[in-house]
Amino acid sequence: MRAWLLLLCASESIACAAAPVPPPVPAISAPEAPPVEPSMPATPPIPADVLLQLWLPESGELYRIAQDGRFLVTAPAGLEAVTVPMSKTETGAQVVSATGLVRLGRALDSVGFFALPAEVKGTMPAVDVRLASTGRPAKAVSLVFSARRDGEAVTVRVQADPGASVTMGPLGPLYDALDQEALGGWAHE
Amino acid sequence: MESGGAGNAAAAEAVAGGDGGASPAAELATVGAPEVLGEGTAGRDGGTFSWVDDAMNAMGDALDMRSGEDRLDAQEELAAFRRRTFTPLTDHHPSSGFGQFDVTFDAATGAMVVTLKVAYDFVNGSPAAVSPGFRPEEFQWTPAEQTAWSTRYEADVSAQWSSRHVFHSTKPFWTAMLVNTTVRVVQDASHPHFRLTVAKYPNDAGMAQSSVCDPGRHHDATGDLCSVNAPAADGSVPGHGTGSFDSNDMRPEQKLDWGNATVAVSFAQGGAALSTAGAALLQPVIAQLQAAPTAHVELTGRSSTDHRRGAPAADRAVENMDLARARAAAVRSALIAAGITADRVLVRNQGEDAADAGAEWRRVDVQVGDHEMQDPALHETGHMLGLGDEYAVTGAGVGTPVEAGYQSMITATTGEVLARGRDESAMGVGSTVRPWHYSSFLEALRVISSDQSWGI
Ligand SMILES: [Zn+2]
Ligand SMILES: [Zn+2]
């Protein structure tokens, strides 16, 4: 079974031992956006130097690809840290490569991200379907993608299972691209 | 362990112990028989003197006069136990919620055999799933390749999962009662536990994904979801699960070393000859490999997206893949010439995948890794044997619990409490079979023997 989302570099991991010392990440001090719905925490604003971010409000995970290729991960209740991306094509890369950034840009274009509404419909399967990745039942949570281009920031939310991009409706290909460049879920059995 | 051998032993037991069986009455009938010295005396059961021994022992029991009474009683019970026959488990489902297998148990020899019945469906791989430039025929099986794959799969599963840990009885004075587990894969197209779809990929294409759907489910068209099996014509619902494997699952190139620095060996445009400068770059790599005998090296052959002038569009990616392959082969030859054994040199080729026209893409990435490698097919087989994943999966991953059903099974058998990590566990990212990986077998032993008194 493949895992959903990524295998995070832990302090004991080989990959992280070789990772560069994370530069200090400036705290985000931008004013909070108005909440989307009363019970939901506000979407973390996408910083000016970030190309693409994915936020999972239920778990608190936040993944960011900076415009210089740095992969920034915030674990629940943790601090944001630069992490080695798990790229399908460039295993030795310490950051998402220039061509990887181009591929992410193309993925944003291919799903028409900057023209999408603030919320899109997922494609969750009928009941009693499980993920091949983990064997658990498919379960929808919020996935909030934000991307920035030419000073414009767009945020799109979908209710889907993070373990299966086929449930993410029009955002599936974008998730796949992020997965291939950084998240590494593609690599797990 | 041949099933025939187990069968013969069972037949012999049936003669020695009468109806044997699991019934309490049968057990009572053998209590007091002279098996104090263990199963080696079983041949005396029907012998001339056994009734005398029985009578003497019965008297001793009644008067509580025998020396080491508890020990003798226990040994008598053990001898009786060893003569019993045990009804095989068919389509056994571990309590973890994963897996399905058959089990036989021969108490006389302490042999438990776990049998995984599979049906193979060999299919063409999908060129879109890997780098462009491999040839269409490289995604097609030959009959010989299919046979070789299934033969190796069956042998490797047995080698990895058999005889890794020994079960022992936890009853007082039953220390001699040990159980060895053999795992075997057999083909059974009509009633498999799992139907395995195995897709063919080029040897150096790297990783396609493998996954398993639990018994009673199958991979849907997306390959990422597991749907409930549809009823057959007679209304019965097939109980098998499915596995999605690929031809490279048993190649160690499957597991990569993210983040470890690479040495980039550059090549001339259109060229695959290792330059003096390139050879010099390999010297520290060779030194590193010589210093760490368990380390391996992974080569990734690449090309830029430049194409030979006049190359037909359909041939361009293929020509660049050929070039990347030739470059990786040149580096591999240099490493082998320096004394690095071929099995430590892993090659996957990407051709012009991920590249652009820049000269920096005319290269081979050389990366030394020292992690234990994992065979994805054997990891997936762990799921088919009832085990869950143990690697960290999310931002909260390291240190978080494994799947609840899996943990419950382990708690009930070994008491171990697992936390997700990134280690060499066969259900993590390595290939080490830990004691708790025998929890589904231990559970099955308790079921088949109707006895909870087993430990690992
Ligand atoms: Zn798994
Ligand atoms: Zn490696």
Side-chain angles (χ1 to χ4, degrees), chain A residues 1-3 133 188-189, chain B residues 379-380 383 388-391 427-428:
Chain A
M1 303 179 210
R2 281 178 285 120
S133 55
H188 294 144
E189 269 83 29
Chain B
H379 171 96
E380 295 306 331
H383 293 308
D389 282 315
E390 297 169 11
Y391 49 78
M427 300 314 293

Side-chain angles (χ1 to χ4, degrees), chain B residues 26-370:
Chain B
E27 279 193 76
L28 285 175
T30 59
V31 166
E35 55 281 282
V36 174
L37 298 176
E39 69 279 13
T41 61
R44 293 177 60 196
D45 270 2
T48 314
F49 304 106
S50 70
W51 69 272
V52 180
D53 291 344
D54 285 359
M56 296 296 285
N57 278 330
M59 273 164 47
D61 275 348
L63 300 171
D64 195 20
M65 284 164 55
R66 292 192 308 188
S67 63
E69 182 66 31
D70 291 346
R71 182 175 60 85
L72 292 170
D73 283 349
Q75 287 175 339
E76 288 165 3
E77 286 166 18
L78 172 56
F81 179 79
R82 284 196 184 271
R83 283 197 309 274
R84 283 175 50 193
T85 56
F86 298 89
T87 308
L89 303 183
T90 303
D91 301 342
H92 173 70
H93 290 228
S95 67
S96 59
F98 313 127
Q100 180 173 221
F101 47 82
D102 291 350
V103 186
T104 62
F105 174 53
D106 176 6
T109 59
M112 181 162 80
V113 179
V114 170
T115 301
L116 203 50
K117 295 189 297 180
V118 303
Y120 297 108
D121 186 14
F122 291 97
V123 300
N124 293 349
S126 163
V130 295
S131 298
F134 294 107
R135 289 172 168 76
E137 59 269 28
E138 295 183 273
F139 296 87
Q140 292 161 15
W141 292 97
T142 65
E145 286 170 337
Q146 294 178 5
T147 304
W149 194 94
S150 59
T151 301
R152 182 169 169 199
Y153 174 67
E154 290 159 19
D156 283 6
V157 166
S158 277
Q160 168 154 326
W161 291 103
S162 298
S163 305
R164 290 306 170 128
H165 304 283
V166 174
F167 300 128
H168 61 268
S169 173
T170 56
K171 288 185 174 172
F173 308 112
W174 278 38
T175 47
M177 187 64 237
L178 302 175
V179 177
N180 180 59
T181 306
T182 301
V183 179
R184 58 188 198 127
V185 175
V186 300
Q187 298 188 36
D188 183 343
S190 60
H191 187 74
H193 296 127
F194 290 89
R195 302 198 74 93
L196 306 183
T197 300
V198 192
K200 175 69 168 67
Y201 284 93
N203 285 346
D204 54 343
M207 183 157 182
Q209 276 179 324
S210 302
S211 63
V212 165
C213 286
D214 293 328
R217 293 171 184 277
H218 62 278
H219 287 78
D220 75 355
T222 71
D224 293 331
L225 300 173
C226 300
S227 302
V228 173
N229 290 346
D234 65 357
S236 65
V237 177
H240 62 73
T242 54
S244 174
F245 286 19
D246 71 69
S247 58
N248 285 341
D249 266 342
M250 287 180 289
R251 299 179 62 84
E253 287 85 341
Q254 296 290 345
K255 288 290 167 181
L256 308 173
D257 297 286
W258 287 279
N260 283 4
T262 52
V263 171
V265 177
S266 298
F267 290 82
Q269 183 170 22
L274 187 61
S275 67
T276 309
L281 280 172
L282 292 178
Q283 290 312 308
V285 172
I286 291 162
Q288 206 180 343
L289 289 166
Q290 285 168 341
T294 59
H296 56 270
V297 60
E298 298 177 1
L299 309 181
T300 306
R302 299 183 180 281
S303 77
S304 76
T305 54
D306 277 351
H307 298 113
R308 180 176 58 82
R309 200 160 307 171
D315 294 349
R316 289 172 185 170
V318 175
E319 288 187 4
N320 276 346
M321 182 60 77
D322 286 346
L323 189 56
R325 284 174 152 173
R327 288 169 175 167
V331 173
R332 181 175 181 272
S333 296
L335 294 172
I336 290 171
I340 307 303
T341 52
D343 63 326
R344 298 174 68 192
V345 184
L346 316 179
V347 179
R348 64 189 191 119
N349 289 306
Q350 296 198 344
E352 63 180 45
D353 195 11
D356 59 26
E360 73 274 15
W361 290 98
R362 297 172 195 136
R363 70 175 201 258
V364 172
D365 289 332
V366 182
Q367 188 179 43
V368 176
D370 56 3

